[in-house]
Amino acid sequence: MRRLKKSFIKWIVVSMICLLLGFLLGKFKQDILRDSLALMETDLQTISAEKVELSKQVARIEARLLTDNQTINRLTQENKKINEQLNLSANKLYFYERVVAPEMESSGVKIYSFTVVKNVETDQWNYELVLMQAQKGRRFLTGQFELTFSVFENEHLKNISLSELSETVTSTFKFKYFQTINGVFRLAPEMTVDEVILQVNVTGNRWYKAQQVEQRYDWQALIEKDEGNSTEFDLGSLPDLSIGNLTGLVNP
């Protein structure tokens, strides 16, 4: 009986020790979980603060971008107005130079006109380019021209050459007085044209040096038959200006 009693006491002691160890182990795990939860809450607060700061930065960037776009649009409109005034002044100056000092006129190719008209029946665009030569020292000019369209396609701005929009392209010229070049091209429905870049390249020879003339046309002004917004850069000689009427000129 005494031995049974001792065994029972030992079993109780061992059970109490196991319960105590289990309690201590559980409390240790609970403390670890509590510390981990506190760290996670701290990280969450940090992430939330960073998110709020990033949102503020994005808002500031978007506001700055909107302001920059407004500034760019305003400067673009002002630049167009300045170009119109410069073209008017340049035309007047050129007129007086031709009357008072015709010897000042530079030789070489001149862009007399460039027009674009839509054919409603075929949904194509017809273009007409008129090139002429300055009155001074006329000889046959040869070369080629390039038309490049700056378009927005699926909200992306890119340059597309005339050969990509037209199946038949005549890009060469040869004339002594003037030459009219006609052609057609088609624009895809998703294309929005911003401007047209016309570049004329004259082949150099023993009478003429190589010449490159570039002129840019605002598309909206072009299709509205308003060429006041065009600007020309003659890389080989003086800037080309409007030279009035072609009366008296004949094709070779």
Side-chain angles (χ1 to χ4, degrees):
M1 187 69 180
R2 184 179 298 175
R3 183 179 300 173
L4 182 61
K5 187 176 180 180
K6 288 182 179 180
S7 299
F8 180 73
I9 293 173
K10 287 181 181 180
W11 180 83
I12 292 176
V13 171
V14 171
S15 299
M16 293 297 293
I17 292 174
C18 291
L19 289 174
L20 180 60
L21 290 175
F23 173 77
L24 293 176
L25 182 61
K27 189 174 183 305
F28 178 71
K29 289 183 177 181
Q30 186 178 10
D31 291 340
I32 292 177
L33 291 175
R34 187 182 294 111
D35 293 339
S36 299
L37 182 60
L39 290 175
M40 292 176 65
E41 289 178 351
T42 303
D43 292 341
L44 181 61
Q45 292 176 357
T46 302
I47 293 173
S48 298
E50 291 177 351
K51 182 180 179 181
V52 171
E53 183 62 26
L54 287 174
S55 300
K56 291 180 179 179
Q57 292 180 6
V58 170
R60 286 195 293 267
I61 292 173
E62 290 178 347
R64 188 180 307 165
L65 180 61
L66 179 61
T67 303
D68 291 343
N69 288 335
Q70 292 175 347
T71 303
I72 291 173
N73 291 333
R74 178 175 55 82
L75 291 176
T76 300
Q77 295 301 322
E78 291 179 357
N79 184 57
K80 289 182 178 180
K81 293 179 180 179
I82 292 173
N83 284 332
E84 291 178 1
Q85 295 173 359
L86 287 175
N87 285 334
L88 290 175
S89 300
N91 288 336
K92 292 179 180 179
L93 176 62
Y94 186 77
F95 172 78
Y96 287 115
E97 283 182 350
R98 290 198 64 193
V99 173
V100 178
E103 67 277 1
M104 294 180 61
E105 183 183 11
S106 60
S107 61
V109 69
K110 302 290 180 182
I111 300 174
Y112 175 73
S113 67
F114 176 70
T115 56
V116 173
V117 179
K118 187 172 185 179
N119 188 325
V120 181
E121 296 180 357
T122 62
D123 200 29
Q124 292 180 326
W125 292 89
N126 301 324
Y127 69 88
E128 180 180 274
L129 170 63
V130 180
L131 300 175
M132 64 177 299
Q133 187 176 177
Q135 296 181 13
K136 182 170 127 182
R138 286 197 185 108
R139 293 182 182 273
F140 277 100
L141 286 177
T142 60
Q144 60 182 8
F145 74 93
E146 297 178 7
L147 274 178
T148 304
F149 297 82
S150 180
V151 303
F152 286 96
E153 187 174 11
N154 298 324
E155 300 183 354
H156 295 287
L157 182 64
K158 63 179 183 179
N159 291 334
I160 299 179
S161 64
L162 177 63
S163 59
E164 299 179 61
L165 304 176
S166 177
E167 297 179 357
T168 57
V169 178
T170 302
S171 60
T172 60
F173 58 82
K174 180 180 180 181
F175 65 94
K176 186 175 182 180
Y177 297 98
F178 74 91
Q179 184 173 348
T180 302
I181 303 172
N182 295 285
V184 297
F185 61 89
R186 184 185 297 273
L187 296 174
E190 65 273 10
M191 289 183 181
T192 302
V193 183
D194 180 53
E195 66 175 358
V196 181
I197 305 167
L198 170 61
Q199 184 171 308
V200 179
N201 299 305
V202 175
T203 305
N205 53 38
R206 60 178 177 173
W207 295 290
Y208 295 108
K209 63 181 179 180
Q211 185 185 14
Q212 185 180 80
V213 178
E214 182 178 292
Q215 184 159 330
R216 293 173 179 263
Y217 298 89
D218 179 78
W219 176 255
Q220 197 61 36
L222 188 63
I223 63 178
E224 292 174 358
K225 302 184 184 299
D226 178 10
E227 298 183 7
N229 291 331
S230 63
T231 58
E232 178 178 311
F233 305 93
D234 186 341
L235 306 182
S237 59
L238 294 176
D240 176 43
L241 309 174
S242 176
I243 48 183
N245 205 317
L246 277 176
T247 304
L249 298 180
V250 293
N251 260 315

